[in-house]
Amino acid sequence: QVQLVESGGGLVQPGGSLRLSCAASGFTFSRAAMSWYRQAPGKERDFVASSFRAGAKTNYAASVKGRFTISRDNAKNEVYLQMNGLEPEDTAVYYCNAQTENDYDYWGKGTLVTVSS
């Protein structure tokens, strides 16, 4: 059974930092592309960042490039999102996504990030 469990969300002031984690199980993590998406209130779910398989290649949305960093630990089956320079516009529920080697798509339940003074 595939499970993706996000953690690390919370309330942070503008300019602050948070590190999100996603613990994965039930599939071959090292062969999966792992991504973060986010959904702000009243908006569609948007792509944030991806780490492809061994992690050598990453991709970012333009809105977070230079502020957010995705990384993964294939030994721990975890993917992370380090978020620096947070802005109120980053407020959203952040979701972990796994695309397995068989092209199955899985989602976590999300973790809420609120950026507010």
Side-chain angles (χ1 to χ4, degrees):
Q1 181 181 1
V2 173
Q3 281 194 316
L4 298 172
V5 181
E6 302 96 336
S7 61
L11 173 65
V12 63
Q13 292 187 342
S17 298
L18 278 178
R19 188 193 193 212
L20 305 184
S21 299
C22 173
S25 61
F27 60 96
T28 306
F29 181 84
S30 62
R31 296 181 181 177
M34 299 300 298
S35 301
W36 288 95
Y37 285 74
R38 67 186 181 185
Q39 188 167 17
K43 296 188 177 181
E44 295 185 350
R45 191 173 297 187
D46 290 330
F47 168 76
V48 175
S50 282
S51 171
F52 295 93
R53 299 192 178 176
K57 183 178 178 182
T58 57
N59 193 27
Y60 296 92
S63 59
V64 307
K65 200 167 188 178
R67 299 188 298 124
F68 291 9
T69 303
I70 188 171
S71 61
R72 62 194 293 164
D73 186 333
N74 288 339
K76 293 184 178 180
N77 286 4
E78 293 184 350
V79 62
Y80 311 102
L81 186 68
Q82 177 66 43
M83 306 186 294
N84 299 328
L86 283 161
E87 304 166 351
E89 294 73 22
D90 295 316
T91 294
V93 177
Y94 283 72
Y95 295 92
C96 179
N97 170 268
Q99 188 173 42
T100 68
E101 57 181 323
N102 298 320
D103 285 332
Y104 289 115
D105 225 20
Y106 299 100
W107 294 90
K109 293 184 178 181
T111 185
L112 177 63
V113 172
T114 303
V115 185
S116 175
S117 55

